[in-house]
Amino acid sequence: MSFAYFPTFDSCLMDEFEDLLLDEEALHVENDGDLLNDKDESELIPVLQADSLNLKDLLHEMEKRGLKARGFFADDAKLLQIQLDREHQDYIDSKKREKEDARKLEAEQKYIQRRKACTEIALVEEKEEVENNERISILFHLIEQGIAPSYCRAEVNNVSARTLSRLLWSDSSGVTSLDLTNLNLSDDSGVFFGRMLKNNRTLIKLELGDNNFGAKTFSEISEALCSNNVLQYLSLESNMVKTNERLKVAEALAKMIKQNKGLRYMSIWRCNIGKEGGQLISEAIRNNDDLTCFEIGFNYWQCSDIKLIQSVLLRNRDRQMIEAEEEKKIKEREKETQLETEAQEENSKQKERDIAWLDKQKVIRAEQRRQDMEHEKKKKEDDIETERRKMEECIKRVSQEKRPKKNKTKKKKKGNK
């Protein structure tokens, strides 16, 4: 029995990718066309003509508006007409604004509804695609559980790639290297990987070469890497950019190269970026101190731009080697200091243990002497008591020996009488 699995996503995560499923620019063009074709009914309301009023109504309207009558009907009518035209124009403008706001609100609501509908349709497509591919189902299950291998080669298509991007949005997957080369992927899925990089801080290596990515993917990835300084290896090689998209791609890459502080290796080999793009990128790389390997072949760049990039890369490598040596020395000094500190702490602890042992021995010897003295004292007391008892016994014996002699002498005396 095959293994079929599709992950579940919360609404907040779906919102992060929702706009990528809908062509927002086409929607706005459509809405703008509706605004242009729809005539405003307020423009059909005629302007009140001051010269059509009688004198009484004319003076009343002028008084309402704080206008001072001059006494001549034609002049007063002309003055009032200016104010009436201004009021009419203000009324038309306010109605237009109200209607435009209402249209914008309706358009936004329709756009949100279309986004939600597109998201639901996309999820149905993704679920069917993933569940029908056992290997992808197993991989996605491992990624969601956070037990996937750190290096992954995912054989996805434009549909299942969207699911993979959502799974990699968080840092719980444990995937640090992702290979998506030579899968015939397009901007439909490429923009999802770019959006994923805005939040993912686990991926260190991302290979996207030999696909059909265009300006949208390049722009989305470049925007994400302006703030993502964790990714160190990025390959976009052999994604042939359309001629009319060259400048847009180069501008996006140049902006990213200026701001990114994490990439060490980047490849845009055979991407058809062109000479103008080479100039932009070569100027941008002057401000980059971290990139040390940059594959730029077969982009039809000028030799001067290539040499400039090579010199910057060499400068960065030399600087990083010096920094690495210094960091190594610092770590060695820190280790020596730590060992000395640990030795001093151990000596101090040993001294404390020795002092504690000596104090303990003093207490033990003092207790032993006290016990010996008590034993000696007790022995003397026992000896004295023994001597005393012997004396008493001796005295008692002597006294007992003397008593019979006295009785005998008394008897003899009585016999003599």
Side-chain angles (χ1 to χ4, degrees), residues 282-340:
S282 63
E283 287 297 321
I285 204 172
R286 292 176 184 268
N287 301 316
N288 188 296
D289 296 329
D290 303 286
L291 200 60
T292 57
C293 187
F294 194 15
E295 301 288 347
I296 56 175
F298 294 94
N299 280 298
Y300 314 107
W301 291 3
Q302 295 179 358
C303 292
S304 58
D305 296 329
I306 295 174
K307 288 180 180 180
L308 175 59
I309 291 173
Q310 288 174 345
S311 64
V312 172
L313 295 177
L314 183 60
R315 178 201 69 188
N316 291 348
R317 282 196 289 268
D318 292 341
R319 184 186 58 80
Q320 289 184 16
M321 286 179 63
I322 293 171
E323 290 180 352
E325 288 294 330
E326 292 178 352
E327 186 177 356
K328 183 179 178 181
K329 291 178 180 179
I330 291 172
K331 287 184 178 179
E332 288 177 353
R333 286 197 295 268
E334 289 178 350
K335 188 175 181 180
E336 290 176 358
T337 304
Q338 184 179 1
L339 291 173
E340 290 177 359

